[in-house]
Amino acid sequence: MTGIIEQYYAPLLKKHGFVPAPDNDQYGPLGLCWKLSPEVGEGSYWTYGQRDLFDIKIHNFSFNKDFMLEFDLPECLSITRYDSISGEELSPYRRLSAGCIKTYVGGYKPYQVIVHQNIPVRSIGIEITPAYYEDYLKKQYPEEYRNPIEAFREIDQTTEFPEMYRLLSELQSYRGTGIAAKLYYESKVAEALSLVVEYQKKRSVSDHKLASQDLERIKTVAAYLSDHYAGELPIERLAQIACMGTTKLKSSFKKVYGCTITEYIQQRRMSQAEYLLAHTDLQIGQIAQTIGYSTSSRFAELFRRSTGLLPLEYRKMAKRK
């Protein structure tokens, strides 16, 4: 197998403690599998690539200690679904969340991420190279070709993409062999790309940027939310802080941070919950109240959506020696 896997991912995986596992039978037999060395963690990393056109990756591993990864992503368009994750991206800072579809445009800056100890990284993703979306597709469909980079940038991270969630689930469970499998993987990559382009068409995206004064006001609101995430945060108060109407505040905030105000607050609450679960012996109900939820059941539901784990499951894994 040649292309992006041998040229890029094989050396990168070995550098971070993964070793080849040729007897793998957990995922599709056409792919290559690595297992994490016991001194670093446990679990596996499977990938299948077709020449230099695309690769498909399935993660199911955890590190023994908080682990910082820093590397240059190759030039590519990436789309991933996380089923379980606990960590943060650092450039720019953002909490990694499960239960969402996340896109990334690689090849422009180093990628930095901290993955928290003992919490499994379970995900399925596709990476598409310029050789596929700029050369191959452009030659195949010269009259209809449209560069998909902006479509990937605009999706960024969303929970409202059920078609992509379904497609990635089908990829994850597929176990075909031979030429049938090669054709299947190629068709799913083409379908994923078409779904992203169609998703962008359906969204009403404004082309104009925020005025510098509005941008500073939105950043002030975000700073206020970060300091007061556990309390009551009526939208009217936030609109007063921003000196703008509630409708403009909501749309402007999502433009800047790629999420709604409610989602931003929940991300801050979940980050603090992860810390309290891993580093204190507070009961689940106490943690729920500390971060702003009146009931432990509501907290547990949102925490599971965010990490893929219930709070007690997370605590057990995080405190595992």
Side-chain angles (χ1 to χ4, degrees):
M1 186 177 298
T2 60
I4 190 172
I5 295 175
E6 285 188 353
Q7 295 173 9
Y8 184 82
Y9 281 107
L12 182 66
L13 288 166
K14 291 175 183 177
K15 176 183 175 182
H16 289 106
F18 288 87
V19 296
D23 297 328
N24 164 70
D25 59 359
Q26 186 176 3
Y27 303 111
L30 286 188
L32 300 177
C33 189
W34 286 264
K35 289 190 177 180
L36 201 51
S37 302
E39 60 268 22
V40 180
E42 62 181 13
S44 61
Y45 186 118
W46 178 93
T47 187
Y48 167 79
Q50 200 167 112
R51 302 189 304 278
D52 61 343
L53 300 177
F54 64 82
D55 66 274
I56 299 164
K57 301 181 295 183
I58 300 177
H59 300 163
N60 187 8
F61 60 83
S62 62
F63 294 112
N64 295 336
K65 299 179 180 179
D66 281 6
F67 202 89
M68 181 170 176
L69 300 168
E70 182 175 5
F71 53 89
D72 293 323
L73 277 174
E75 190 174 355
C76 67
L77 302 177
S78 171
I79 188 158
T80 302
R81 186 197 79 206
Y82 287 103
D83 296 322
S84 171
I85 188 70
S86 177
E88 298 88 26
E89 293 176 317
L90 301 180
S91 53
Y93 178 87
R94 179 166 62 178
R95 184 174 181 277
L96 288 169
S97 297
C100 67
I101 298 296
K102 177 177 174 55
T103 57
Y104 191 88
V105 179
Y108 297 93
K109 58 185 176 182
Y111 184 71
Q112 294 177 303
V113 61
I114 294 176
V115 180
H116 295 166
Q117 65 179 16
N118 297 328
I119 306 303
V121 178
R122 298 190 184 116
S123 67
I124 166 77
I126 298 171
E127 286 182 346
I128 307 169
T129 70
Y132 183 85
Y133 63 82
E134 287 185 353
D135 299 336
Y136 175 74
L137 284 185
K138 198 170 184 178
K139 290 176 183 176
Q140 291 290 103
Y141 308 101
E143 302 300 326
E144 302 176 38
Y145 176 76
R146 179 179 178 183
N147 195 312
I149 290 179
E150 286 306 314
F152 274 75
R153 281 205 181 102
E154 289 174 6
I155 288 177
D156 189 30
Q157 184 168 299
T158 180
T159 58
E160 301 173 354
F161 204 165
E163 301 90 350
M164 187 63 70
Y165 193 97
R166 172 193 52 78
L167 183 148
L168 293 173
S169 295
E170 291 171 353
L171 266 179
Q172 192 169 29
S173 60
Y174 184 72
R175 297 294 183 272
T177 60
I179 190 172
K182 293 180 180 180
L183 292 172
Y184 178 85
Y185 288 133
E186 185 174 346
S187 70
K188 286 299 180 184
V189 170
E191 183 182 353
L193 187 57
S194 68
L195 285 175
V196 171
V197 173
E198 287 300 315
Y199 184 91
Q200 182 199 30
K201 289 180 181 178
K202 294 176 182 177
R203 297 179 69 190
S204 55
V205 180
S206 174
D207 292 331
H208 72 275
K209 296 181 179 179
L210 291 182
S212 58
Q213 185 178 51
D214 286 342
L215 179 60
E216 288 304 313
R217 288 170 175 172
I218 292 299
K219 289 181 177 180
T220 298
V221 170
Y224 183 86
L225 294 175
S226 294
D227 286 341
H228 298 83
Y229 63 87
E232 292 291 329
L233 294 165
I235 189 66
E236 293 77 16
R237 183 191 305 165
L238 300 178
Q240 288 178 335
I241 294 172
C243 301
M244 58 181 67
T246 57
T247 301
K248 182 179 179 180
L249 168 62
K250 291 176 182 179
S251 62
S252 299
F253 191 95
K254 189 160 188 178
K255 263 185 204 173
V256 175
Y257 290 99
C259 63
T260 66
I261 292 173
T262 299
E263 289 168 344
Y264 187 90
I265 295 169
Q266 287 180 353
Q267 288 178 17
R268 290 290 297 114
R269 289 177 173 180
M270 294 304 119
S271 293
Q272 181 64 5
E274 287 183 3
Y275 177 83
L276 294 174
L277 286 166
H279 299 284
T280 76
D281 293 320
L282 290 174
Q283 296 179 358
I284 302 302
Q286 292 174 307
I287 293 176
Q289 292 182 354
T290 299
I291 63 173
Y293 295 109
S294 58
T295 66
S296 56
S297 60
R298 177 61 174 164
F299 161 58
E301 177 189 356
L302 292 172
F303 190 85
R304 182 182 58 78
R305 288 184 195 173
S306 177
T307 65
L309 301 166
L310 290 169
L312 286 176
E313 292 175 324
Y314 184 95
R315 168 169 276 172
K316 183 178 179 180
M317 291 180 174
K319 292 193 172 186
R320 185 178 61 193
K321 300 300 183 182

